[in-house]
Amino acid sequence: MATVLLAPRQADWALGAELMAAGLAGGLSLLAIGRHGRGPATADKRLTGLFDRRDTSIVVMLLFVACGAVLASGRPAGLYLLLPASLVAFVSGVLSAWNSLLPPPDLL
């Protein structure tokens, strides 16, 4: 998303088409690899289990596609759809990193 947004002097329709392509490619790749969440192992991992699911990532990709469609139709307000997509992706990444860096509670 950042790479697409940083290209200088793009028309709204071009930016919209690029965001739709990125969202479709990301969503289809998630469906193709069949990434399934492992589910929370303990009560402390409920939040991580919520964000470590394929459905959550597909929603982020669908927001990219929706943003691109609104931009391609000539309405720059579509960029507002990137805010929730970015927040969910950021929280998911931080929780996944946190979960992978800490050992399971039974090993402590």
Side-chain angles (χ1 to χ4, degrees):
M1 173 183 64
T3 304
V4 171
L5 290 172
L6 286 175
R9 292 184 282 266
Q10 290 190 82
D12 285 346
W13 65 266
L15 179 59
E18 291 169 358
L19 283 170
M20 284 191 295
L24 287 173
L28 290 174
S29 68
L30 283 171
L31 290 173
I33 62 173
R35 178 178 169 233
H36 296 285
R38 295 176 298 274
T42 65
D44 294 337
K45 295 186 180 181
R46 285 186 187 145
L47 186 61
T48 304
L50 174 67
F51 281 95
D52 189 25
R53 297 175 62 181
R54 182 176 58 174
D55 302 339
T56 306
S57 300
I58 289 176
V59 167
V60 169
M61 294 299 120
L62 287 176
L63 284 171
F64 278 22
V65 172
C67 170
V70 173
L71 277 174
S73 72
R75 297 193 173 131
L79 289 174
Y80 289 115
L81 293 173
L82 291 181
L83 178 63
S86 300
L87 290 175
V88 169
F90 179 75
V91 169
S92 177
V94 168
L95 288 174
S96 293
W98 183 268
N99 194 31
S100 68
L101 290 174
L102 294 178
D106 55 347
L107 295 178
L108 292 176

